[in-house]
Amino acid sequence: MTSENRRLDQARRLLALAQTGLHYTTAVFDKERYEEIAAIAHEQLAELASMETGDLAELFAFETGYANPKLDVRCAVFNEAGHILLVREAADGLWSLPGGWADVGSSPAENAAREVREESGYTVEIVRLLAVWDMAKHRHPPSVFHIWKLVFLGEIRQSGATVGTETDAVGFFSPDDLPALSLGRIMPEQIRRLDELRHGNTVDFD
């Protein structure tokens, strides 16, 4: 782990301790101390993420209660040629698996299928879980959040041409000839690993 990643991990843990402490404490003195710890963590995270402290505090404003990792749900969809479905993110012009934050009210598999439909227009049936990854244990760029990624295997049931508001292009690509990826969402080696996993019955997990 690099020095920057170690500092990021420490700042995230510090903020999680403060958030959990604020959730459980009933003492005014303790509340003030936990708020001070949270402010220090916000400053550290903002420095590491090159953000304004106020902007980062606003980002975490709704992160209350017992601190948990955020859940990112993705879907790997392959065509008959063995090419994988990718969508281009409108925000940065880079490509990724369809997916995003898990929404309340739906199961992880339901979230994955909906993201594929909304972002690519394809209707898929979720076949099985392929991977459960802790993003901090992979080569993703540093994130202020601690994120777990679930990747499901989906099979196409109906084609479509709809592109969602967050994506502006859709395509199938060989795992060995990928476009520029949004590395904060998916890594090239992870796509190649998913291609291997779909042929077996195992789940890759951290």
Side-chain angles (χ1 to χ4, degrees):
M1 181 182 291
T2 66
S3 175
E4 183 182 61
N5 286 343
R6 187 177 299 108
R7 290 173 59 207
L8 182 62
D9 180 61
Q10 291 172 343
R12 282 193 303 236
R13 289 167 59 193
L14 192 66
L15 183 57
L17 288 170
Q19 181 180 320
T20 301
L22 287 168
H23 176 67
Y24 284 111
T25 189
T26 57
V28 174
F29 179 83
D30 288 341
K31 184 175 183 293
E32 292 175 349
R33 294 298 175 264
Y34 283 127
E35 288 174 344
E36 183 177 354
I37 293 172
I40 293 170
H42 285 153
E43 290 180 6
Q44 293 177 341
L45 287 169
E47 179 182 350
L48 291 166
S50 300
M51 294 177 63
E52 294 292 334
T53 303
D55 293 339
L56 189 131
E58 184 176 345
L59 184 64
F60 280 90
F62 296 104
E63 300 290 324
T64 59
Y66 190 90
N68 293 299
K70 295 183 75 66
L71 188 62
D72 179 33
V73 178
R74 301 276 160 179
C75 192
V77 181
F78 294 85
N79 63 14
E80 294 180 354
H83 294 176
I84 191 166
L85 175 68
L86 298 179
V87 295
R88 190 169 64 191
E89 301 288 342
D92 57 16
L94 301 173
W95 295 80
S96 179
L97 296 178
W101 298 131
D103 290 330
V104 173
S106 299
S107 72
E110 290 168 343
N111 270 281
R114 186 185 64 251
E115 290 284 354
V116 175
R117 185 174 63 254
E118 291 179 351
E119 294 187 353
S120 74
Y122 286 92
T123 299
V124 300
E125 177 183 347
I126 300 300
V127 178
R128 64 185 181 89
L129 180 67
L130 292 179
V132 180
W133 290 324
D134 181 342
M135 290 182 62
K137 296 184 181 297
H138 296 258
R139 297 189 311 108
H140 296 281
S143 170
V144 295
F145 294 112
H146 185 185
I147 302 168
W148 291 353
K149 184 184 298 291
L150 273 60
V151 185
F152 291 89
L153 178 64
E155 289 186 354
I156 296 173
R157 292 292 177 260
Q158 184 176 333
S159 299
T162 303
V163 178
T165 57
E166 297 179 356
T167 56
D168 59 15
V170 178
F172 283 90
F173 300 88
S174 167
D176 296 319
D177 188 19
L178 297 167
L181 297 177
S182 179
L183 301 181
R185 297 177 173 90
I186 196 71
M187 305 292 294
E189 60 266 30
Q190 291 173 331
I191 288 181
R192 290 190 286 270
R193 179 59 177 150
L194 294 170
D195 188 28
E196 295 173 355
L197 290 167
R198 72 186 177 99
H199 296 294
N201 295 310
T202 59
V203 177
D204 201 14
F205 61 89
D206 292 321

